[in-house]
Amino acid sequence: MDLFSEVYGCYYTVIARLLEKAQEGISKGEIETLINSQAFCDSAFHLLPKLLSGEWNLLEKKTDGRYYALPKLTNFKRPMTTLEKAWLKALFLDKRILLFVTNTELEALNTALSDVEPLYYPENFHVFDSAADGDPYDNEEYIQNFRLVLKACIHRQGICIAYENSKQKQVSRTLFPYKITYSNRDDKFRLLGVLTAQNGEHKGITLNLARIRSVTLVDALPFRNIDFMKYFTQSLNSEPILLEISRERKALERCMLQFASWEKQTEYDEENDYYICKIFYDKQDETELLIRILSFGPVIKVLGPEGFLNQVKERIRNQYQLNLGDRVI
């Protein structure tokens, strides 16, 4: 089946969900709500007449005023494309896959896709400037702790953990997990949660998953009224970083990949044949952005803001002096 078949479009998906719900009857208002929430803003204008008039022969209006699906199917899930299967097969080769599926599940999935070639192999990627002390993804204790923390995040449960602090002492913490984040540069997962201090006050906390020694699920009641956004909402800097990106050495593609996790606006300046990119960022990410931008060398020019530009100049000046010192020696 073609990748760009209409089967993979928005209309097929919304009609499939509509027919699933219409097995037990659905009102006109519910149909409109479903289409408006899962399709485009003008989709109801095109779809409703064809559905309700019977032109598509998919719905039948009965005496109770509700619409019922004429196809008596219960599963309208679309088939996967060959490309999607290949992508999934590639994921099975990822070193982190056992954090999300068991060995038995992975074996069953590999068997189901035994005739599919992976879309890519891990060795196809060469990662630069990545930490050498990444998380131990093949450690059984780490895997079990990760799964319990993930379960607590999904089901909104509290956890009690034994955590090894920076002084290599184990401390016990009861906290409510908010979400797990991953740093590609550090190759580490981190847990963002809210901790209850001894005085009863709450505070946001970030923990390395690899330092958690044990996890126990506990009652989430003490954390029920916590406003997580208060602790973890990013406050963007008032001025975005402004970059001039040349067309040399695939600089634009590399930038889009390197800064994928930040909000951006990019425009092509046809007259000068370069791209202008604005990166909106949290102040706490400034140092990491500075390091990443400098790693691009001359294919990127920092235009502002002034404070960030001064930091770039200072880093380059220091590096130049270090190099000059080496030559003198």
Side-chain angles (χ1 to χ4, degrees):
M1 187 172 289
D2 295 334
L3 173 61
F4 297 106
S5 166
E6 64 276 5
V7 170
Y8 303 106
C10 172
Y11 285 174
Y12 181 92
T13 302
V14 74
I15 296 298
R17 289 179 181 169
L18 172 63
L19 292 177
E20 286 178 347
K21 290 183 177 295
Q23 298 295 316
E24 303 298 327
I26 187 170
S27 69
K28 180 182 176 182
E30 290 171 328
I31 295 174
E32 288 179 321
T33 301
L34 183 68
I35 293 174
N36 289 332
S37 64
Q38 301 191 16
F40 305 110
C41 59
D42 61 343
S43 296
F45 178 77
H46 301 289
L47 298 181
L48 272 178
K50 296 180 183 300
L51 286 168
L52 302 184
S53 68
E55 182 179 344
W56 283 352
N57 202 29
L58 293 175
L59 297 176
E60 178 186 27
K61 186 177 182 180
K62 293 192 176 181
T63 54
D64 60 359
R66 295 171 69 81
Y67 292 85
Y68 291 81
L70 289 174
K72 299 303 177 186
L73 302 174
T74 57
N75 186 358
F76 292 92
K77 292 181 180 177
R78 65 170 178 78
M80 293 177 65
T81 65
T82 302
L83 182 60
E84 286 175 322
K85 292 178 182 177
W87 175 72
L88 273 179
K89 193 68 177 291
L91 289 186
F92 299 160
L93 300 175
D94 192 290
K95 61 184 178 182
R96 296 155 289 198
I97 188 64
L98 288 178
L99 300 177
F100 304 96
V101 299
T102 65
N103 281 307
T104 305
E105 291 169 335
L106 182 59
E107 186 177 343
L109 289 168
N110 272 315
T111 301
L113 298 179
S114 59
D115 59 340
V116 178
E117 281 293 315
L119 183 62
Y120 55 83
Y121 290 89
E123 54 267 30
N124 295 140
F125 296 89
H126 299 276
V127 182
F128 297 91
D129 298 328
S130 180
D133 60 341
D135 282 359
Y137 302 114
D138 56 352
N139 181 284
E140 191 60 31
E141 176 187 87
Y142 176 85
I143 292 172
Q144 294 304 323
N145 290 338
F146 184 96
R147 289 176 182 171
L148 280 172
V149 171
L150 181 60
K151 180 180 178 181
C153 288
I154 294 172
H155 298 288
R156 317 307 295 166
Q157 288 183 267
I159 55 173
C160 179
I161 63 169
Y163 186 78
E164 184 177 296
N165 62 22
S166 56
K167 298 178 182 177
Q168 297 185 327
K169 291 184 178 179
Q170 282 198 23
V171 294
S172 179
R173 293 273 191 271
T174 300
L175 61 115
F176 195 87
Y178 174 52
K179 66 178 181 180
I180 297 173
T181 63
Y182 175 73
S183 167
N184 192 50
R185 184 170 65 90
D186 297 333
D187 191 22
K188 292 182 186 300
F189 282 98
R190 294 188 174 94
L191 168 64
L192 275 59
V194 174
L195 188 71
T196 302
Q198 290 183 343
N199 59 7
E201 294 184 355
H202 295 132
K203 68 172 183 178
I205 190 169
T206 302
L207 302 172
N208 287 334
L209 259 295
R211 289 192 172 188
I212 295 177
R213 296 292 169 252
S214 67
V215 180
T216 306
L217 300 177
V218 297
D219 188 4
L221 189 60
F223 304 98
R224 182 159 294 174
N225 297 320
I226 289 178
D227 178 12
F228 285 102
M229 303 305 290
K230 172 184 173 183
Y231 299 101
F232 299 113
T233 299
Q234 289 189 330
S235 56
L236 295 181
N237 206 37
S238 57
E239 292 184 83
I241 296 172
L242 191 60
L243 303 177
E244 177 187 304
I245 305 172
S246 81
R247 289 165 56 85
E248 298 176 42
R249 295 153 55 186
K250 297 184 178 179
L252 180 66
E253 291 90 333
R254 291 161 52 208
C255 275
M256 295 301 105
L257 182 63
Q258 187 70 251
F259 306 119
S261 57
W262 283 277
E263 181 183 349
K264 300 178 294 297
Q265 289 180 1
T266 307
E267 297 177 355
Y268 176 57
D269 186 328
E270 190 171 356
E271 182 179 347
N272 296 300
D273 193 29
Y274 56 60
Y275 296 91
I276 295 294
C277 178
K278 293 179 181 176
I279 300 178
F280 300 89
Y281 68 106
D282 190 292
K283 190 70 177 175
Q284 65 180 0
D285 295 334
E286 192 167 75
T287 302
E288 181 167 348
L289 278 166
L290 179 63
I291 294 170
R292 292 194 186 194
I293 289 171
L294 285 171
S295 71
F296 278 83
V299 297
I300 281 183
K301 182 178 180 181
V302 179
L303 303 178
E306 186 176 353
F308 189 82
L309 183 57
N310 288 337
Q311 291 186 63
V312 172
K313 291 177 179 176
E314 182 67 23
R315 291 245 178 176
I316 293 175
R317 189 180 300 114
N318 291 340
Q319 188 63 47
Y320 177 79
Q321 288 174 348
L322 284 172
N323 292 342
L324 184 64
D326 288 340
R327 284 203 297 271
V328 170
I329 289 172

